[in-house]
Amino acid sequence: MAASTQLSAALREKYEPVIGLEVHVQLLTQTKIFCGCSTQFGAPPNTNVCPVCLGLPGALPVLNKRSVEFAVLAAQALNCQVRETSIFARKNYFYPDLPKGYQISQFDKPLAEHGYIEIGLSDGGAKKIGITRLHMEEDAGKSIHDGLSDSGVYTSIDLNRSGTPLIEIVSEPDMRSADEAYAYLTLMKETILYTGVSDCNMEEGSLRCDANVSVRPKGQQKFGTKAEIKNVNSFRFIREAIEYEIDRQIEILEAGERVQQETRLYNSAEGKTYSMRSKEQAHDYRYFPEPDLLPLVVDARWQAQIREKLPELPEARRKRMVADYGITDYDAQVLTVSKALADQFEEAARAAKNPKRVANLVQSELAGRLKAKGLEIEQSPISMKGVAMSADLVESGAISSKILKDLYDKAFANGEDFPTVYEREKPQQITDTAAIEKIIEEIIAANPKQVEQYRAGKATILGFFVGQVMKATKGQAKPELVNELLRKQLAIGH
Ligand SMILES: [Zn+2]
């Protein structure tokens, strides 16, 4: 939890936070951006390297075409305008994990600009958050400060990551609360995941985020002095760090002091941010165009080819699913948490008799059990196909909701999918014709009105009788047999 700074709500009301986010996303190419080395995560240190990504003198970069396609696809998904000609530039700084002494990035002519995404607000409204730019760059290596036997004396360098393709996505300073920043990041990640250009795995560093935070008295046009919070490794911590930082800056202003422009780190154990370096020590990167690379040209034709690979994006998909399957916004939100899950759901829902029942089962029976076991929906023992099958069984009256719950419990206990458990455990079916006929007689006698309707030609009323028989037999009568006998007996006396 973020450390509470005991600010009163009234005090917070006086100020308006201004937040902008910079997100780095690693692209899922097989090889690096300027050489043929593998980008595989977790390889032994310094094994996926070559003269180019080691920054040896004379080695020349060759741009990975696939990385451009991925970057353009991400830019399109984020509603950016892709520049026909963008320029790679050298960003000069010294750091041990950057052997060349510069990072190849893009500066004044980035790949894409002027994008936006639209986040949902807690009041049900929506807000567009601008994306200033999206540019391509190479990742640096990694400094390893602990975990090795001589870590107390040395910092070790692993250059496997050096040259991994990145996109940096810079937002406009459009967010006004930590919650908006959280919503932006969540939707951003979801959108990128849908395009398939990154796995956005924060633990492995495939998605990293820095936050620029300032506050200003409400009504003031001019931005306050901002602090940059770096290297926060989860969305939850970013939200906490921003909340803490907003309160810290308000306290400084209330004390009549000035906020320092600086870079700060978030300590999640303490829930506080700490100063890392002030602006005076900040870098001047001396950008200049990279002389070893030609301008990058992505013409209209290539852009159109890439756009064809753009999938239906999460927001659009949710709206369509609500309309197509009669589910709620909340259902749609849960069911589109990943593209894979949404695909599975839609396949199941299209196959099932009642899509809404499939959604309900996911929300209630499935979600509750997953939560109890600490599993993500992707790890569920019951597949979406299994959910669809169970929904149909309940729908047809073949099993009761209670039996469904039991079967779900067994599936979770054994780690088995629904069809497997159902085949083994399915309720003993009553196949005794005489017994069923007797039940049918009673039902016919008890429902003369429906019998009349059926005999007058309303064939759909048969479903009512099937349901009654299933209810009377606790779902244990064999459905085909019930149908057959019902038709026969309803026809008698006609
Ligand atoms: Zn290499």
Side-chain angles (χ1 to χ4, degrees):
M1 279 300 293
S4 167
T5 47
Q6 316 289 325
L7 277 194
S8 70
L11 208 47
R12 285 197 183 110
E13 270 301 300
K14 277 174 64 181
Y15 293 90
E16 179 176 60
V18 175
I19 302 155
L21 296 169
E22 291 169 19
V23 176
H24 284 88
V25 177
Q26 277 183 353
L27 300 176
L28 263 184
T29 51
Q30 301 281 310
T31 55
K32 296 184 180 180
I33 185 169
F34 299 126
C35 62
C37 293
S38 167
T39 52
Q40 196 206 343
F41 182 84
N46 300 307
T47 53
N48 292 334
V49 290
C50 73
V52 173
C53 54
L54 287 172
L56 300 186
L60 290 173
V62 177
L63 181 59
N64 178 337
K65 187 178 177 191
R66 177 58 66 84
S67 71
V68 177
E69 290 169 349
F70 279 7
V72 170
L73 191 64
Q76 290 171 341
L78 301 172
N79 305 301
C80 291
Q81 291 166 22
V82 175
R83 196 184 267 276
E84 180 159 314
T85 304
S86 61
I87 304 287
F88 284 101
R90 288 189 184 180
K91 179 181 182 180
N92 298 282
Y93 65 96
F94 172 79
Y95 206 74
D97 60 22
L98 187 76
K100 292 198 297 293
Y102 61 85
Q103 176 190 27
I104 302 179
S105 180
Q106 296 185 308
F107 182 51
D108 55 347
K109 292 194 172 61
L111 180 74
E113 297 162 288
H114 313 304
Y116 67 89
I117 53 177
E118 199 168 289
I119 59 169
L121 301 176
S122 52
D123 65 6
K127 178 174 176 179
K128 266 187 190 176
I129 307 293
I131 291 167
T132 316
R133 54 187 278 144
L134 181 154
H135 67 254
M136 299 181 70
E137 60 187 26
E138 59 178 342
D139 211 341
K142 230 187 264 180
S143 301
I144 299 166
H145 302 288
D146 43 39
L148 299 175
S149 58
D150 53 5
S151 290
V153 195
Y154 300 112
T155 288
S156 301
I157 309 291
D158 178 5
L159 293 170
N160 282 349
R161 196 177 74 178
S162 169
T164 298
L166 289 179
I167 47 175
E168 179 174 336
I169 304 158
V170 182
S171 84
E172 290 290 309
D174 283 348
M175 287 154 277
R176 295 290 174 268
S177 70
D179 285 345
E180 287 184 13
Y182 186 86
Y184 170 86
L185 287 170
T186 305
L187 183 59
M188 164 79 61
K189 179 179 167 182
E190 224 174 40
T191 305
I192 300 279
L193 277 175
Y194 265 59
T195 65
V197 305
S198 175
D199 60 17
C200 295
N201 184 328
M202 289 191 91
E203 284 93 67
E204 293 181 0
S206 323
L207 190 153
R208 311 194 286 268
C209 174
D210 303 330
N212 288 307
V213 181
S214 65
V215 298
R216 61 183 172 192
K218 267 192 186 151
Q220 178 183 303
Q221 280 300 306
K222 198 171 161 282
F223 288 145
T225 306
K226 69 184 177 187
E228 185 181 25
I229 310 168
K230 269 189 137 33
N231 299 332
V232 191
N233 62 10
S234 83
F235 289 174
R236 185 165 67 90
F237 290 156
I238 290 167
R239 175 153 65 184
E240 288 175 12
I242 292 171
E243 276 168 359
Y244 174 84
E245 189 58 26
I246 289 168
D247 282 2
R248 187 186 72 87
Q249 293 184 15
I250 291 176
E251 281 181 333
I252 289 170
L253 296 178
E254 281 294 309
E257 293 163 27
R258 298 170 70 145
V259 173
Q260 298 299 312
Q261 183 163 350
E262 61 186 352
T263 302
R264 298 179 69 85
L265 293 178
Y266 182 62
N267 181 324
S268 57
E270 296 177 32
K272 294 180 176 177
T273 61
Y274 288 95
S275 179
M276 185 170 108
R277 59 169 181 254
S278 70
K279 185 65 184 170
E280 288 79 73
Q281 300 160 261
H283 299 292
D284 176 358
Y285 296 114
R286 304 262 166 172
Y287 283 96
F288 63 86
E290 166 60 62
D292 293 338
L293 287 166
L294 291 165
L296 169 58
V297 177
V298 186
D299 60 18
R301 193 159 158 258
W302 195 15
Q303 288 185 35
Q305 279 169 6
I306 297 169
R307 190 174 281 281
E308 279 170 24
K309 295 180 194 134
L310 197 64
E312 185 184 25
L313 293 168
E315 276 303 314
R317 185 165 200 173
R318 282 192 273 273
K319 285 196 183 107
R320 181 180 55 73
M321 280 169 60
V322 167
D324 284 3
Y325 305 111
I327 58 177
T328 63
D329 288 338
Y330 179 78
D331 291 343
Q333 190 74 38
V334 174
L335 291 167
T336 52
V337 64
S338 75
K339 184 172 182 292
L341 178 73
D343 289 347
Q344 284 176 44
F345 167 76
E346 289 212 69
E347 204 190 317
R350 276 194 287 263
K353 293 196 181 83
N354 182 346
K356 175 68 184 161
R357 190 186 288 280
V358 175
N360 284 345
L361 284 177
V362 172
Q363 297 300 343
S364 54
E365 302 304 331
L366 198 62
R369 285 174 179 78
L370 290 170
K371 200 173 173 203
K373 281 219 160 188
L375 295 175
E376 294 299 322
I377 196 146
E378 289 91 340
Q379 303 165 300
S380 170
I382 300 180
S383 66
M384 278 294 151
K385 272 204 178 83
V387 175
M389 179 185 175
S390 67
D392 280 355
L393 287 166
V394 175
E395 191 73 19
S396 71
I399 62 171
S400 65
S401 312
K402 188 187 172 303
I403 290 175
L404 177 129
K405 282 177 205 283
D406 291 345
L407 295 176
Y408 270 46
D409 283 342
K410 285 186 175 125
F412 270 79
N414 303 335
E416 294 171 323
D417 200 352
F418 184 84
T420 313
V421 180
Y422 177 73
E423 278 312 313
R424 193 181 58 237
E425 309 269 343
K426 67 180 160 192
Q428 275 305 311
Q429 287 192 330
I430 301 171
T431 52
D432 179 348
T433 308
I436 297 176
E437 276 173 346
K438 189 162 177 295
I439 293 167
I440 291 176
E441 270 166 34
E442 286 162 15
I443 289 170
I444 287 179
N447 299 283
K449 208 178 268 168
Q450 284 83 353
V451 173
E452 207 172 289
Q453 287 175 342
Y454 179 82
R455 287 176 181 164
K458 195 177 173 194
T460 51
I461 204 93
L462 189 71
F464 161 79
F465 287 105
V466 174
Q468 293 296 308
V469 178
M470 285 302 179
K471 207 170 151 192
T473 57
K474 299 192 169 64
Q476 292 181 351
K478 195 180 175 199
E480 303 86 58
L481 188 59
V482 172
N483 269 286
E484 190 195 318
L485 296 175
L486 265 171
R487 281 208 185 83
K488 228 185 263 173
Q489 285 180 256
L490 282 167
I492 294 170
H494 187 52

